[in-house]
Amino acid sequence: MASSSSIAVPHHVAIVMDGNGRWATKRFLPRVAGHKQGVDSLSRCVQACIDRGIQVLTVFAFSSENWNRPVDEVSGLMELLAMSLSREVPRLKANGVRLHFVGNRLQLSDKVQAGLRQAELSTADNQRLVFNVCFNYGGRWDIAQAAQMLVSTGQAITEMSLDRAMALAHVPDPDLLIRTGGELRISNFLLWQAAYSELHFSDKLWPDFDEAALDEAIAVFRTRERRFGKTSAQLDGSKGVFAASSKTQKTKAA
Ligand code: FPP
């Protein structure tokens, strides 16, 4: 049953977009064709998030471990990133979307790095939706780079200092984390930030994940009671469970 603590729409939705390869294989197509279809699905998802008043969308587009895939698939994903930048950025810009790329850029080509910077700069004034694309990202990498930064600048490692040094420090933690494709795992995505995210696993392959599937995930989210370590009785006695959660309501410029 929905609790008094549920909110109409999650502020921040994060997605592991799994299933592109299977979508393509089922159609006797190369895996990269599934990733191309995945870009179209992502484009629709961004619009659906805007239409529903979601403020932050974070997606896992390429993991630190995806370098281990066949060379042609890795190069296909790199080309797709470059193609998506030129095709999608003007549309995102016009739609009020602010782009952030999250992950280790140093392993990407100079051209791709320049493209990411340009996309971020050209959408920097937008405010309708913050869209974080995690590319060459891993949750363990993120924790390690944050700790390394604190050590190298002589700062103490605390929950708060680490939190501020993480790659998603510009947004509150995700309220809802969706994984498509039927697998029931996090796969090194947002290990720190998903501590209190509600998890939703969809059997749909990512290219098939449509508005109705997003609405279903949101509907399930609304039935969840978010206790953040408290009891149900405590929540019933306070209207401000979200205010009580330092993590989801931390005042970040989202
Ligand atoms: C996982 O599906 C998906 C990926 C590794 C890539 C996700 C990328 C996109 C949706 C396109 C957006 C990308 C860019 C570059 C902007 P999988 O390949 O593991 O699928 P499978 O589990 O069916 O094999």
Side-chain angles (χ1 to χ4, degrees):
M1 211 181 107
S3 78
S4 57
S5 63
S6 57
I7 52 175
V9 171
H11 182 93
H12 180 174
V13 173
I15 309 183
V16 178
M17 308 178 290
D18 194 19
N20 296 341
R22 277 166 285 164
W23 185 94
T25 304
K26 272 167 71 175
R27 290 163 177 78
F28 306 103
L29 295 168
R31 292 176 56 85
V32 172
H35 297 314
K36 278 195 186 128
Q37 200 70 27
V39 173
D40 292 344
S41 185
L42 181 53
S43 184
R44 285 194 303 275
C45 184
V46 168
Q47 189 57 52
C49 288
I50 293 172
D51 294 344
R52 284 152 185 78
I54 290 164
Q55 304 286 311
V56 184
L57 174 66
T58 301
V59 297
F60 207 2
F62 189 88
S63 78
S64 319
E65 292 74 32
N66 285 153
W67 294 106
N68 298 322
R69 292 196 171 199
V71 175
D72 61 337
E73 185 168 345
V74 171
S75 57
L77 280 162
M78 294 297 155
E79 280 167 27
L80 203 51
L81 175 63
M83 184 277 285
S84 304
L85 285 175
S86 53
R87 195 187 78 173
E88 300 290 336
V89 170
R91 195 167 18 202
L92 293 171
K93 192 175 170 189
N95 273 351
V97 177
R98 180 171 189 175
L99 258 169
H100 287 269
F101 290 92
V102 178
N104 184 357
R105 299 182 188 205
L106 300 178
Q107 289 172 296
L108 306 177
S109 71
D110 289 348
K111 195 174 166 207
V112 168
Q113 288 190 43
L116 303 187
R117 270 197 304 275
Q118 182 53 36
E120 288 178 335
L121 270 175
S122 71
T123 60
D125 292 333
N126 284 347
Q127 295 187 355
R128 259 169 114 184
L129 177 78
V130 175
F131 180 28
N132 301 306
V133 178
C134 296
F135 201 93
N136 196 20
Y137 171 88
R140 291 175 176 175
W141 164 83
D142 195 6
I143 294 167
Q145 68 79 26
Q148 182 59 43
M149 196 278 279
L150 294 175
V151 169
S152 65
T153 52
Q155 299 178 65
I157 294 185
T158 65
E159 280 195 33
M160 195 177 282
S161 66
L162 263 177
D163 198 59
R164 288 190 180 140
M166 304 286 290
L168 279 181
H170 57 288
V171 288
D173 290 343
D175 301 294
L176 172 62
L177 192 157
I178 299 169
R179 181 182 182 133
T180 63
E183 309 286 5
L184 306 180
R185 55 179 171 261
I186 302 293
S187 298
N188 200 16
F189 189 44
L190 306 181
L191 296 182
W192 176 270
Q193 298 87 348
Y196 279 97
S197 303
E198 296 299 326
L199 306 181
H200 178 77
F201 296 98
S202 166
D203 285 333
K204 280 196 183 285
L205 304 176
W206 174 249
D208 297 326
F209 190 84
D210 55 10
E211 288 83 353
L214 178 64
D215 285 337
E216 188 192 333
I218 294 171
V220 171
F221 169 80
R222 292 179 65 186
T223 68
R224 304 274 177 85
E225 181 183 65
R226 306 190 73 197
R227 292 196 293 276
F228 301 102
K230 293 187 173 186
T231 67
S232 291
Q234 283 177 300
L235 298 187
D236 287 343
S238 85
K239 287 182 189 149
V241 63
F242 282 91
S245 155
S246 60
K247 290 297 180 186
T248 53
Q249 288 295 46
K250 58 192 167 191
T251 48
K252 289 171 172 177

